Amino acid sequence: MNLRRDVFQAIADPTRRSILMLVAAQSMTAGAIASNFDTARPTVSKHLQILTECELLRSEQNGREIIYHLNPTKMKEIADFIEPFRQMWDDRFNKLESVMKAYQKGN
């Protein structure tokens, strides 16, 4: 049974978020990515596999090397999904700030 990977579970892992940050700055090979971590290379490969299955990264064969690129379209989908929640919390914090300022003026 082939289960689809959940993109939010993928980005919940701090190592995978770090990999995304690295590749966002510059496309890299698996070896270059692995050199940034104190874990075994197969562990980093598994993280890359998960990120690729979630379509957060794209892989490109270049001779014997595979170069990983960030998939900005998928990242935008995530950002678009999260945006209403961010706006809701911004509104709530702005209201709280107004209440706190009014309370401080009253004292």
Side-chain angles (χ1 to χ4, degrees):
M1 177 157 93
N2 189 5
L3 297 176
R4 233 180 117 209
R5 297 241 185 229
D6 180 69
V7 70
F8 292 102
Q9 286 181 338
I11 62 176
D13 184 277
T15 301
R16 289 192 283 268
R17 288 194 307 269
S18 295
I19 291 170
L20 288 172
M21 295 297 289
L22 283 170
V23 177
Q26 176 182 345
S27 297
M28 303 174 91
T29 63
I33 293 167
S35 70
N36 288 277
F37 299 94
D38 291 329
T39 58
R41 215 167 161 161
T43 303
V44 173
S45 292
K46 183 65 176 174
H47 288 303
L48 291 170
Q49 177 187 357
I50 291 167
L51 291 169
T52 303
E53 287 174 4
C54 291
E55 299 176 353
L56 294 168
L57 294 180
R58 291 182 294 106
S59 61
E60 172 191 359
Q61 189 80 35
N62 187 8
R64 292 181 51 169
E65 294 184 318
I66 297 174
I67 300 172
Y68 290 90
H69 307 274
L70 189 70
N71 181 354
T73 304
K74 191 66 171 186
M75 297 300 288
K76 180 158 179 10
E77 284 179 28
I78 295 168
D80 290 346
F81 176 80
I82 292 172
E83 182 60 22
F85 299 101
R86 190 193 63 75
Q87 288 177 353
M88 177 188 68
W89 283 105
D90 280 350
D91 291 344
R92 288 181 181 186
F93 284 124
N94 289 338
K95 287 176 186 174
L96 178 60
E97 184 178 32
S98 296
V99 169
M100 295 300 290
K101 284 181 180 178
Y103 177 76
Q104 287 174 342
K105 286 181 185 178
N107 283 335

